[in-house]
Structure formats: C-alpha cells, structure tokens
Amino acid sequence: MRFDLLTIFPEFFTGPLEHGIIRRARQQGQIETLVHDLRSFTFDKHHIVDDRPFGGGDGMVLKPEPLFLAVETLLADDTAEVAGKRAAVVLLSPQGRVFDQCEAQRLADECSRLILLCGRYEGVDERVVEHLVTDEISIGDYVLTGGELPALVLVDAVTRLLPNVLGSETSAVHDSFVNGLLDYPHYTRPAEFRDWRVPEVLISGHHGAVAKWRRRAALLKTWQRRPDLLAAAELTDEERAWLATLSNETASINNQ
Ligand code: SAM
C-alpha cells in the first residue's frame, strides 16, 4: 500500500511514522509513505496555497489549483498500481463519512494507494470535494485545526490490517470492532498485584475454558459499554439468552 500525504506542513509527519509497527511495515516494504508539500505545486513567488473566501467571512480556504495539480501529478505516477485495486483520493474532513474499523478494512481491501489530502484553515475549495476527491472521511464529530492527525489515524488503522503487517495473521481477529464486539480484558504477570488476582481461569491452562471466558468477557464489556454494537454482532441463541439474563447491578465477568 502506498500512502501519499499532501500537506502544507510536511515536517508534521517526521516523527509519527518512525515507530513500532508502522516503522517496521515501511522498512519491510509493506507500505510506502510519501509526504508532499502542497506549496511545491504552486508557481507564484510566495507559493500561496490559500485565499479569502468568496462571499466574505473569516478565515482562509485552500485553493483548488495546487490540490488538483498535486493529485493529478501523483496519479500520473502509477507505479503503485495493483490489478483489481484502486487509488483513493481521500479528503480528511469533519463533513466526511465517520471512520471506523469497517471503513479501515474496506480501504485495506480495496486500495493499493491512498492519496490523503490534509485540509487547513476553513477547509478546501468545494470544487475539490466535488470533482477530485473519491472519499471524504472524518475521524469523528469534532473539529481539528488540520487534516494531518486524521491522515495519520488512517495510515495507522489501515496499515495494521494489511496482510502480514501484524506479527501473526490472527493478531487483529479479536480486536475491538472486528467481530462486532469490544475486545476481552487482557492480563499479564504478576498473577497477583497488590490485592488483585487475575481471573483464575486464565492461569488454569484449560484453553477451552479460557476461550469461553474471553468470549463472555467481550460480550459483557460490549453490553456494558457499547450496547449499540450488539444488534449487528453475530451471536448464538445461547449468547443472546445469556445477555438477556444480565442486569446492571449484578453483571461482572468474575461472578459468571
Ligand atoms: N470549516 C470546516 C468545517 O467546519 O467543516 C473545518 C475546517 S478544519 C478547521 C481544517 C481541516 O482540518 C479540515 O479541512 C480537515 O482537513 C481537518 N479536520 C478537522 N477536523 C477533522 C475531522 N474530525 N476529521 C477529519 N479531518 C478533520
């Protein structure tokens, strides 16, 4: 997967792509991250990328010409094309579709390349939205000062879903949202910390019992914190019946 990050602050990306799994994925050639300065797609002496809004009002708007030129130039380099996959031109915008795990998986499956446009100021000229962008994505219902952090969120969430990027193919399988539930709780040594013991079943060595406990714990956590997810989750009749027996006062995975 190739990520092209188009920004007026290229230095923004210097640190965040150099750690952990993203760094390893870059080193192993599983992803390529190319940062492009929007100002280098201008022809005037001062490399101006923004202008005042028509109709008046506060703030500045990113002009269409540099964005169109940049994306068209980047798309002309089709070395990252993979048969059957598409190049998405993504505008990070609070007005876009709200990003979630399904959307991350969809981009990981469908695309060989993501061109990520990072807005600033009041945003971008609407003709960019109408005629250049293929996907408009928001990372949540709040407004940030720029699209660089949202772009990094996409790079991270999509990269970890690419084949062989995580240590094992199954590493993401139990993650929150992947199967419609939140993840189960995790514990590590020591088995007793202060007065708090880890659930006995986890140190019992019974793999079947551990798997059952984890499934129940994931169901319970989802029921407690994100009951909205349960409607779409794949549950057995037995699990639905068990959830129906829960009540707020008594529910705890450690007394199931
Ligand atoms: N005037 C715009 C509005 O209210 O919809 C907000 C512009 S915001 C200050 C500047 C840029 O930050 C946007 O163009 C976008 O690229 C980015 N941005 C801000 N919040 C975002 C969010 N929740 N998701 C994705 N991008 C966001």
Side-chain angles (χ1 to χ4, degrees):
M1 174 80 79
R2 170 168 159 177
F3 298 95
D4 289 285
L5 299 138
L6 194 55
T7 173
I8 61 169
F9 295 122
E11 325 73 49
F12 198 99
F13 296 99
T14 309
L17 298 169
E18 285 165 13
H19 305 278
I21 287 167
I22 301 299
R23 176 192 171 95
R24 193 181 64 199
R26 290 175 65 213
Q27 286 172 339
Q28 294 181 347
Q30 292 158 317
I31 62 165
E32 221 183 331
T33 54
L34 302 176
V35 181
H36 310 278
D37 187 348
L38 185 61
R39 291 184 199 282
S40 62
F41 296 93
T42 55
F43 299 105
D44 63 296
K45 193 168 134 206
H46 299 292
H47 302 291
I48 291 172
V49 290
D50 58 323
D51 208 335
R52 291 189 303 277
F54 278 127
D58 291 336
M60 301 296 272
V61 177
L62 286 179
K63 291 160 66 64
E65 303 97 310
L67 284 162
F68 271 83
L69 178 61
V71 170
E72 284 161 3
T73 306
L74 292 174
L75 285 174
D77 170 7
D78 58 5
T79 48
E81 252 181 40
V82 174
K85 304 241 172 180
R86 69 182 178 105
V89 180
V90 179
L91 175 67
L92 287 314
S93 158
Q95 302 179 17
R97 212 171 33 244
V98 178
F99 192 58
D100 61 12
Q101 191 69 19
C102 283
E103 187 71 15
Q105 189 67 61
R106 190 177 68 79
L107 294 173
D109 293 342
E110 285 179 11
C111 301
S112 56
R113 190 169 177 193
L114 297 182
I115 299 179
L116 302 169
L117 313 186
C118 305
R120 279 272 156 181
Y121 315 123
E122 291 306 315
V124 304
D125 185 289
E126 192 66 13
R127 288 164 290 189
V128 171
V129 179
E130 287 169 358
H131 304 295
L132 187 63
V133 161
T134 61
D135 300 72
E136 196 176 350
I137 295 181
S138 163
I139 62 157
D141 291 347
Y142 42 83
V143 177
L144 301 166
T145 54
E148 287 77 9
L149 282 171
L152 285 167
V153 168
L154 258 72
V155 171
D156 193 297
V158 171
T159 297
R160 65 192 298 287
L161 295 177
L162 297 172
N164 305 317
V165 164
L166 295 183
S168 124
E169 277 299 297
T170 56
S171 297
V173 166
H174 297 290
D175 279 345
S176 293
F177 312 112
V178 170
N179 60 5
L181 300 178
L182 299 181
D183 196 5
Y184 52 76
H186 299 268
Y187 295 89
T188 186
R189 273 178 279 275
E192 186 158 339
F193 170 66
R194 301 198 174 158
D195 276 344
W196 304 305
R197 269 192 80 67
V198 306
E200 288 303 325
V201 61
L202 297 181
I203 43 182
S204 68
H206 293 137
H207 297 304
V210 170
K212 186 172 176 204
W213 181 90
R214 285 180 167 165
R215 176 76 183 171
R216 287 265 163 124
L219 282 167
L220 181 64
K221 227 177 192 193
T222 311
W223 179 81
Q224 287 170 325
R225 297 186 181 186
R226 291 293 306 274
D228 57 299
L229 297 176
L230 290 172
E234 273 186 38
L235 306 180
T236 64
D237 291 343
E238 190 203 342
E239 287 169 342
R240 286 197 187 282
W242 178 68
L243 286 171
T245 67
L246 299 176
S247 76
N248 281 324
E249 294 74 42
T250 57
S252 158
I253 191 59
N254 297 327
N255 54 32
Q256 297 302 315

